[in-house]
Amino acid sequence: MSNIRNIVILTGAGISAESGIDTFRGAGGLWENHRVEDVATPEAFARDPELVLRFYDMRREAIQQKRPNAAHEALARLDREWGGDLLIVTQNVDDLHERAGARRVLHMHGEHLNAWCLACDSRSPWRGPLVDRPECPACGERALRPDIVWFGEMPYRMDEIYDALREADLFVSIGTSGAVYPAAGFVRDARELGLRTLELNLEPSQGSAWFHESRLGAATEIVPHWVDEILSG
Ligand code: OAD
């Protein structure tokens, strides 16, 4: 890997699993008693805003009790020490990469700790509940929703992600099932662009065959090991 300079890393729910945040598609997954369509679509929000806001209020509160694990910490170390370009693209809406110290993080599916005002289109840092319809700090309207990309909505900052892929030599996918597009398609885009591709996951993802290399195991073990390896050249 000595000819690697620029890296794009995609992370998913699997990197936060050992911090105690349930994955989406595992047994006893995140959605608990709620079907995804009941909480994670604009239609669900229009139909039953209180259910949706309560659900996300619960998740927002829960993630604030969790701590980054050794995999988040290893990527933060890579972020600090890597001399080339590095971009961590996360599908996760928690802030564990940032709390571990990573700086070059892009949240393509939004963030629990942001609220989005449907009246003035501003985003505000948000830690408390939304179900009681608080005022938007920017415009005063009571029109805040979670700043989360729901099914049927466009993920954020796709241009920046593709720009980074075009400049990169290595694409690494960590803890994601490869079930949700467009993120699931990054490995194919990376292959077409000529990048080296590596998967670090508990089990083979749906796109596993597209990767040059696949290492299986718990993120807290295999991610620090890979970071040690790449930093030592
Ligand atoms: P999934 O729940 O679909 O997949 C999690 C992956 O992590 C699985 O392949 C697991 O095998 C793996 N995994 C579980 N525990 C692990 C561990 N300790 N170490 C390493 N890997 C582990 O989650 P995502 O792929 O992130 O979208 O889901 C993608 C998107 O689907 C989410 O961002 C969300 C959801 O709908 C939106 O909210 C828009």
mmCIF file of all heavy atoms in Angstrom, residues 71 105 161 182:
data_model
loop_
_atom_site.group_PDB
_atom_site.id
_atom_site.type_symbol
_atom_site.label_atom_id
_atom_site.label_comp_id
_atom_site.label_asym_id
_atom_site.label_seq_id
_atom_site.Cartn_x
_atom_site.Cartn_y
_atom_site.Cartn_z
ATOM 1 N N ALA A 71 -12.535 1.601 17.059
ATOM 2 C CA ALA A 71 -12.534 1.794 15.599
ATOM 3 C C ALA A 71 -12.659 3.278 15.253
ATOM 4 O O ALA A 71 -11.936 3.791 14.391
ATOM 5 C CB ALA A 71 -13.680 0.996 14.963
ATOM 6 N N VAL A 105 -14.867 14.671 8.253
ATOM 7 C CA VAL A 105 -16.027 13.773 8.268
ATOM 8 C C VAL A 105 -17.176 14.418 7.504
ATOM 9 O O VAL A 105 -17.468 15.594 7.718
ATOM 10 C CB VAL A 105 -16.481 13.479 9.716
ATOM 11 C CG1 VAL A 105 -17.642 12.488 9.723
ATOM 12 C CG2 VAL A 105 -15.325 12.951 10.564
ATOM 13 N N ILE A 161 -18.353 14.037 -2.496
ATOM 14 C CA ILE A 161 -17.937 12.636 -2.354
ATOM 15 C C ILE A 161 -17.331 12.144 -3.670
ATOM 16 O O ILE A 161 -16.242 11.552 -3.685
ATOM 17 C CB ILE A 161 -19.128 11.751 -1.927
ATOM 18 C CG1 ILE A 161 -19.639 12.195 -0.550
ATOM 19 C CG2 ILE A 161 -18.726 10.276 -1.914
ATOM 20 C CD1 ILE A 161 -20.951 11.538 -0.125
ATOM 21 N N PRO A 182 -27.214 5.730 -2.631
ATOM 22 C CA PRO A 182 -26.061 5.528 -3.503
ATOM 23 C C PRO A 182 -24.789 5.011 -2.823
ATOM 24 O O PRO A 182 -23.874 4.586 -3.509
ATOM 25 C CB PRO A 182 -25.813 6.929 -4.077
ATOM 26 C CG PRO A 182 -26.349 7.858 -3.056
ATOM 27 C CD PRO A 182 -27.508 7.171 -2.413
#
